[in-house]
Amino acid sequence: TNQLNASNRSLVTLRDEMGYLAGSQATDVNHIAEQLATLNGEIQRAQLGGGAANDLLDRRDLLLDELSTLVDAKAVAQPDGTVAVFVDGQELVNGVSSRQMRAYQDALFVLHLEWVDTSVAINPTGGKLHGTLTAANADIASRITALDTLAVQLRDDLNAVHRTGYDRGGNPAGDFFVGAGAQDLRIDTAIQADMDLIATSGAPNAPGDGSVA
């Protein structure tokens, strides 16, 4: 049980780390979006004034490249020299305005990404955020589920056998394992306190016949 408990703790810690990572990545997206909106304004003013905007355009391209590593974003050039940026079909940057996204974990430990202003879900299909969400909600979640399934099967199978036996005092034995899953599976507290409660025989008053143990 200690190994199951430890494995569960490791997976839960990893799941929580994915939540923190997604939050950090969403913050990075927000910062880039703000910078892109600012650059849009500077590029627009430069072009209206007849000045060169090459440096500004280069900076914007670099930011768009950086953004694409985080999330699958689509940039659409506008007639006024600005770019509109879309994520999951919704605007992240429009002219000199930008939106924000956030990551959060719900009560069932599912990791979500949504727009701050509307709470509408964002479902990226590429980039680091997609990888983080997939790791948390698919890879790690399935491993936790598998571990819980194993723990419950072990608990139920052993308890079923244990309850057929009798302890050293000749009393019908109870459950050997308690707990809802891998997180808290453990030997029953009463048995930990008194090993004579372990079923060691298949009949009362036949201590140590070994047919159940």
Side-chain angles (χ1 to χ4, degrees), residues 11 14-15 18 21 111 128-143:
L11 288 171
L14 186 58
R15 181 186 64 196
M18 291 299 102
L21 180 58
L111 187 58
K128 293 179 180 178
L129 265 168
H130 169 69
T132 302
L133 292 170
T134 300
N137 296 335
D139 302 338
I140 297 172
S142 65
R143 291 168 65 186

Side-chain angles (χ1 to χ4, degrees), residues 64 74-79 81-86 93:
L64 288 171
K74 179 181 180 181
V76 180
Q78 303 299 301
T82 64
V83 291
V85 181
F86 298 85
V93 178

Side-chain angles (χ1 to χ4, degrees), residues 16-97:
D16 291 342
E17 288 175 352
M18 291 299 102
Y20 296 133
L21 180 58
S24 176
Q25 290 167 341
T27 298
D28 289 342
V29 169
N30 295 337
H31 287 163
I32 292 173
E34 291 171 354
Q35 294 177 70
L36 286 170
T38 298
L39 280 172
N40 270 344
E42 293 176 357
I43 290 169
Q44 192 176 38
R45 287 190 295 273
Q47 292 182 340
L48 287 173
N54 291 342
D55 288 346
L56 297 174
L57 292 169
D58 288 342
R59 285 169 55 193
R60 189 175 68 187
D61 287 343
L62 288 174
L63 285 172
L64 288 171
D65 287 343
E66 185 178 352
L67 179 64
S68 68
T69 68
L70 291 166
V71 67
D72 49 332
K74 179 181 180 181
V76 180
Q78 303 299 301
D80 60 0
T82 64
V83 291
V85 181
F86 298 85
V87 173
D88 193 22
Q90 302 178 71
E91 283 186 339
L92 172 65
V93 178
N94 181 13
V96 296
S97 300

